Amino acid sequence: MPEALTLNQRIVLASRPVGAPTPENFRLEREALPDLADGQVLLKTLFLSLDPYMRGRMSDAPSYAAPVEIDEVMTGGAVSRVERSMNPKFHEGDLVVGATGWQSHSISDGRNIIPVPSGLPSPSMALGVLGMPGMTAYMGLMDIGQPQSGETLVVAAASGAVGSVVGQVAKIKGLRVVGVAGGADKCRYVVDELGFDACIDHKSSNFADELAQACPKGVDIYYENVGGKVFDAVVPLLNPKARIPLCGLIASYNAHEAPTGPDRLPQLQRTLLTKRVRIQGFIVFDDYGDRQPEFVSAMAPWVRDGKVKFREDVVDGLENAPEAFIGLLEGRNFGKLVVRVAQD
């Protein structure tokens, strides 16, 4: 008797955004998935990760990865449960993590999924502190930032999935840590809960002056997640031989025109030259994929011992993913943004 067909809900890219994405750029579809072939597994999505890099995939401009095609399911990492398996490496009920996209179910041949680490308070943590954002934070800080005890680190988007981990690891390594976040609540959380030395609200009219006051010895490492006016405020504070791990530029992701105002590039180039500043971009799995065991062995004990804390912002329902993603690009989320697609 043939297996019953599985009805899949999926969100596809309906059109490419011009500027900020809108709900009209997405479309919710339903489809029947085919029967499994040998070597395949049927996955039911439990948690979907929403991350800023997805904005770049909605554009067809040249980038480090191919864009999502029109009418194709939106790309994204997810934690799923194996519903049926014809692959000896996976069994019904296993929890796995992989880039299975914005959909309620998927079929995998097993090559794009790995088991979720056991013993997590929530399996969704495999999308955050012990997943891609945590590894991005750790590798960018440790390999490019090369933190030394007593130095000063500034990290943008300090309450977010990457920035919160960067700052906490830097504190473990003995640095003075100054966060930048949007709003008093986020800044209080970063200092009171995560243990940063200071956090400056980028919405403040005196932002640049307040940041300078919080960094009396200058800045040795600036972990860049944002760009824009935060970068402008940090540059004059950079110490000789400062390091800038370049992770993201969310302030400009929705830009579709060249910025207005004076050309600040010559001034920046002079700063980089005279202070011998190192700035390096990276793509975490392309550059550090083979070092994932190193990351997990360092981060898992810190999480287990409470030395690294992690906050999630959970949205219920796949159909709410587009609006949640639009809010992410506007800074509306507080912590790692995940969509609970189904109850475990």
Side-chain angles (χ1 to χ4, degrees):
M1 182 177 177
E3 296 174 340
L5 290 178
T6 298
L7 186 64
N8 180 38
Q9 293 189 81
R10 64 181 202 161
I11 293 176
V12 302
L13 181 64
S15 58
R16 301 203 184 279
V18 178
T22 68
E24 290 71 34
N25 297 133
F26 305 90
R27 184 173 67 250
L28 179 65
E29 297 182 341
R30 291 172 175 80
E31 63 172 359
L33 294 180
D35 292 338
L36 293 183
D38 284 342
Q40 292 184 330
V41 293
L42 173 66
L43 304 174
K44 181 176 182 178
T45 306
L46 303 181
F47 293 97
L48 168 67
S49 177
L50 296 182
D51 300 284
Y53 77 83
M54 296 171 177
R55 175 60 183 86
R57 300 291 179 85
M58 297 177 74
S59 169
D60 59 2
S63 186
Y64 63 89
V68 177
E69 298 297 336
I70 301 298
D71 300 327
E72 189 177 78
V73 66
M74 280 291 297
T75 187
V79 167
S80 304
R81 183 175 60 229
V82 176
E83 294 283 280
R84 292 198 297 274
S85 178
M86 296 184 68
N87 185 318
K89 295 181 180 178
F90 299 95
H91 304 92
E92 186 175 322
D94 286 353
L95 295 181
V96 297
V97 61
T100 51
W102 295 27
Q103 51 189 346
S104 64
H105 296 78
S106 60
I107 292 174
S108 170
D109 62 6
R111 286 183 290 185
N112 66 331
I113 55 175
I114 60 174
V116 169
S118 59
L120 300 184
S122 168
S124 60
M125 293 177 74
L127 301 171
V129 67
L130 289 172
M132 182 272 290
M135 186 169 169
T136 299
Y138 180 84
M139 298 311 309
L141 174 63
M142 299 303 295
D143 192 69
I144 300 172
Q146 297 185 355
Q148 302 295 319
S149 181
E151 292 186 324
T152 296
L153 172 136
V154 172
V155 58
S159 67
V162 174
S164 63
V165 176
V166 168
Q168 291 179 90
V169 174
K171 286 299 297 179
I172 291 171
K173 297 298 179 181
L175 279 72
R176 173 175 173 79
V177 175
V178 178
V180 175
D185 288 344
K186 290 181 178 179
C187 285
R188 272 194 298 269
Y189 167 75
V190 165
V191 173
D192 295 345
E193 294 295 322
L194 302 185
F196 287 30
D197 296 285
C199 188
I200 310 303
D201 185 352
H202 66 71
K203 297 178 181 179
S204 169
S205 58
N206 299 315
F207 167 66
D209 290 339
E210 292 173 13
L211 182 64
Q213 291 170 13
C215 304
K217 295 182 179 180
V219 176
D220 300 294
I221 305 171
Y222 174 50
Y223 195 104
E224 177 63 289
N225 292 315
V226 172
K229 68 178 183 181
V230 180
F231 183 77
D232 290 344
V234 168
V235 168
L237 307 178
L238 292 172
N239 287 330
K241 297 190 177 180
R243 290 83 71 198
I244 304 176
L246 179 53
C247 172
L249 297 165
I250 195 170
S252 60
Y253 283 174
N254 289 329
H256 60 285
E257 297 177 343
T260 58
D263 181 5
R264 298 189 297 278
L265 181 59
Q267 179 185 1
L268 172 61
Q269 289 175 318
R270 179 175 176 81
T271 299
L272 297 179
L273 173 61
T274 58
K275 293 189 176 180
R276 293 155 290 167
V277 174
R278 175 186 179 189
I279 180 168
Q280 181 177 332
F282 68 103
I283 307 301
V284 66
F285 287 124
D286 288 0
D287 296 325
Y288 299 110
D290 60 337
R291 294 173 65 178
Q292 190 167 20
E294 172 191 339
F295 155 69
V296 173
S297 65
M299 189 64 65
W302 288 336
V303 172
R304 187 172 56 245
D305 297 341
K307 292 182 178 179
V308 172
K309 300 177 182 178
F310 198 71
R311 177 174 178 142
E312 290 183 323
D313 191 336
V314 181
V315 173
D316 280 299
L318 179 66
E319 69 278 5
N320 294 317
E323 188 60 38
F325 177 68
I326 291 168
L328 169 71
L329 297 176
E330 297 173 354
R332 280 190 255 149
N333 62 299
F334 193 164
K336 173 69 188 90
L337 185 59
V338 295
V339 178
R340 183 161 38 215
V341 178
Q343 297 291 337
D344 183 15

